[in-house]
Amino acid sequence: MRKSIATVSLSGSLSEKLTAIAAAGFEGVEIFENDLIASPLTPEDVRSRAADLGLAVELYQPFRDFEAVPQDLLERNLRRAESKFAVMERLGADLLLVCSSVSPHAVDDDALAAEQLHLLADRAHQHGIRIAYEALAWGRHVSTFDHAWRLVEEADHPALGTCLDSFHILSRSSDPAGIEEIPGEKIFFLQLADAPLMAMDVLQWSRHYRCFPGQGGLDVAGLLTHTVKAGYRGPLSLEVFNDVFRQADAGRTAVDAMRSLLALEESAGLSAPPAPVVPSGFAFAELTAADTEPLRGLLTALGFARTGRHTAKPVELWEQGEARVLLNSSGSDRRSGPTLAAVGLESPDPGAAVRRAETLLAPVVPRRRGPREAPLDAVAAPDGTELFFCRTGRTDHPSWTEDFAPAESEAPEGAGKGSTGISGIDHIALTQPWHHFDEAALFYRSVLGLNPEESQDLADPYGLFRSRAVANSDGSLRIALNVAPSPDGEATRSQHIALTTDDIVATARRVRECGAALMPVPANYYDDLDALHELPQETLGTFRELGILYDRDEDGEFLHFYTATLGRVFFEVVQRTGGYRGYGARNATVRLAAQHTAQHGTV
């Protein structure tokens, strides 16, 4: 099925939008009326430009407030329609989107509405144009797709059909199974959009929070399946209104849009791209820093040992249990300090993982590889983090660890050596640029096959901290995607590595004895914890002494503590008991406030 997108879904001029849409691989475009009106290009110019780019003009939209009006308004509406028909003929568009009326002059009279829609279709037919009638979710008298179809059916004109819009249908909790009762040839167009599940006015929800399929919580794939079963074979077209997309780079947004359509087709069984290869865990986390000495000290205090040096690059391998951290002394801005630049993902089939990523338009990271280095492919996540597909220590696939020569462990003077009980990487948290957050959620869901959890808004000293986690089915790989505000309006680009232990009290004591700077926790937190959970006083005293935070749910418990931040990076140590799958969200406010205090020197 052809892939299309409405120009309203992107930022920029009409010419810029068309260029971005074509570059992303779309075959068609909906021209939004305001984009044409504001453009210096004539309709003929737009038609020629679209043709040069290989884009079909699928639809012109919207035409508003037409049906079920008194005779004097009908004459004015028909005059408006004739003007639009003339523009469409110049534009080369043969389908006009007509939205159900929101006008206070419209009357609740289905027979009158059908009669006037028939008249409009008859006028359009004389110009070789068809009418796609759509029910707006906030329409004055027509607000559901089945009501719109009844009017189309009653009007009974070959140039009149219906347009289905996933947001208008699903936002009203209408049952999309009813779409299958509409003859496929009378479904003239299908517009697709997702949205986060929110309790708010549907008009504001639509105008500000629509997103691409797979980025929200609506069952767009199910709706598409019903539409195809009805016999629809027209374009799959995205129509998204979103404050973020209106400010983001058009080219990047168009690629994100195409990725969403590719994933949607797969979910609806309309295509079969390479199957997702779900990562089974973390191979490593790579930190870059111009000066790695502070990181060496922190890793040593955490119980890591330096076990290898890369044979060709300034990279060290540090290990404890199954937790591996690479220290790279090249490429980091000295002013920003250490940065989490790359993550190694254990993959049962790295080659297939790369093919999947390329099919879904993930950029493959160019990598200079020495003659004896293990093949290691990586793709770039939306925030720039490089994701490497690995099979660590396997005999059936080259292991990246073979590129490291053994190295004797070093420890700073006065620091203790030896394990602190850390056994692996529990999760990694990456703070996203605010305008890439939804893109990142779709990327990890579609490219890696991870399961997204519901988005959460958490209190931050300077606003709201938005977080959404993605994970594989057994929780052996978890990534938390965050957007945090800061006083100057820029994203607080902190990143952290969460390490796991089976005895957090022993680990915290050992780490503190080894000289690690841990994040202080206010006494008020423990007073509140005592009131909330009624923990034994001895346990509460230990938590207070060591700066351990606590959370629990019906499945288990979560205990964790944090190190101080180096540059943009800090470590978390966690212990999970039972079936707890969260991240201690209740404690995020305390952590964020403590980090802001440390960063800005305020109390």
Side-chain angles (χ1 to χ4, degrees), residues 4 173 220 325:
S4 170
S173 300
V220 183
V325 177

Side-chain angles (χ1 to χ4, degrees), residues 100-155:
S100 63
S101 180
V102 298
S103 170
H105 302 293
V107 296
D108 189 8
D109 185 335
D110 281 6
L112 180 62
E115 176 187 331
Q116 294 182 353
L117 286 171
H118 181 99
L119 179 59
L120 178 66
D122 203 50
R123 294 282 188 95
H125 186 63
Q126 297 172 27
H127 297 269
I129 290 171
R130 297 177 303 151
I131 301 297
Y133 182 61
E134 171 189 64
L136 295 179
W138 51 90
R140 182 171 177 83
H141 301 298
V142 180
S143 58
T144 62
F145 78 93
D146 50 343
H147 192 176
W149 163 239
R150 290 198 302 272
L151 295 184
V152 169
E153 190 174 30
E154 185 176 348

Side-chain angles (χ1 to χ4, degrees), residues 261-276 355-356 359-360:
L261 270 185
L262 293 170
L264 178 64
E265 284 186 319
E266 179 185 27
S267 298
L270 301 181
S271 67
R355 290 191 293 275
R356 167 77 177 185
T359 299
L360 290 172

Side-chain angles (χ1 to χ4, degrees), residues 222-290:
L223 181 141
L224 175 56
T225 300
H226 290 302
T227 307
V228 172
K229 285 183 178 179
Y232 177 74
R233 296 297 181 266
L236 305 180
S237 194
L238 298 169
E239 187 198 37
V240 168
F241 302 88
N242 186 297
D243 296 341
V244 173
F245 296 163
R246 290 189 178 106
Q247 302 174 60
D249 175 74
R252 181 166 185 155
T253 302
V255 171
D256 188 31
M258 177 57 75
R259 180 181 297 128
S260 78
L261 270 185
L262 293 170
L264 178 64
E265 284 186 319
E266 179 185 27
S267 298
L270 301 181
S271 67
V277 181
V278 182
S280 58
F282 292 104
F284 62 81
E286 180 175 344
L287 302 175
T288 63

Side-chain angles (χ1 to χ4, degrees), residues 22 311 326 475 571:
T311 55
L326 303 184
F571 288 87

Side-chain angles (χ1 to χ4, degrees), residues 208-444:
H208 299 284
Y209 294 99
R210 287 203 204 190
C211 53
F212 295 129
Q215 295 178 339
L218 303 179
D219 184 14
V220 183
L223 181 141
L224 175 56
T225 300
H226 290 302
T227 307
V228 172
K229 285 183 178 179
Y232 177 74
R233 296 297 181 266
L236 305 180
S237 194
L238 298 169
E239 187 198 37
V240 168
F241 302 88
N242 186 297
D243 296 341
V244 173
F245 296 163
R246 290 189 178 106
Q247 302 174 60
D249 175 74
R252 181 166 185 155
T253 302
V255 171
D256 188 31
M258 177 57 75
R259 180 181 297 128
S260 78
L261 270 185
L262 293 170
L264 178 64
E265 284 186 319
E266 179 185 27
S267 298
L270 301 181
S271 67
V277 181
V278 182
S280 58
F282 292 104
F284 62 81
E286 180 175 344
L287 302 175
T288 63
D291 178 11
T292 57
E293 199 59 38
L295 284 172
R296 287 175 180 158
L298 179 55
L299 286 172
T300 300
L302 286 169
F304 283 78
R306 189 182 66 179
T307 59
R309 289 180 184 271
H310 198 279
T311 55
K313 298 181 176 72
V315 181
E316 299 174 349
L317 171 60
W318 291 70
E319 296 183 270
Q320 182 177 184
E322 294 297 316
R324 305 177 194 90
V325 177
L326 303 184
L327 295 189
N328 188 332
S329 59
S330 66
S332 180
D333 184 345
R334 187 176 291 272
R335 291 170 299 177
S336 64
T339 299
L340 178 57
V343 177
L345 305 174
E346 293 289 358
S347 173
D349 190 341
V354 171
R355 290 191 293 275
R356 167 77 177 185
E358 289 181 303
T359 299
L360 290 172
L361 310 180
V364 176
V365 177
R367 181 172 180 263
R368 288 180 296 175
R369 179 183 162 215
R372 296 184 179 180
E373 289 185 46
L376 197 58
D377 294 312
V379 297
D383 67 346
T385 302
E386 297 179 0
L387 304 176
F388 287 87
F389 301 108
C390 308
R391 296 202 80 185
T392 305
R394 297 292 295 262
T395 58
D396 57 346
H397 188 276
S399 175
W400 61 274
T401 56
E402 296 172 5
D403 294 341
F404 289 81
E408 182 180 346
S409 179
E410 295 179 356
E413 193 68 30
K417 294 185 179 181
S419 171
T420 59
I422 288 169
S423 57
I425 295 177
D426 181 86
H427 66 273
I428 284 176
L430 301 171
T431 300
Q432 308 295 305
W434 67 274
H435 51 299
H436 296 162
F437 185 78
D438 288 332
E439 179 187 356
L442 174 63
F443 175 92
Y444 285 100

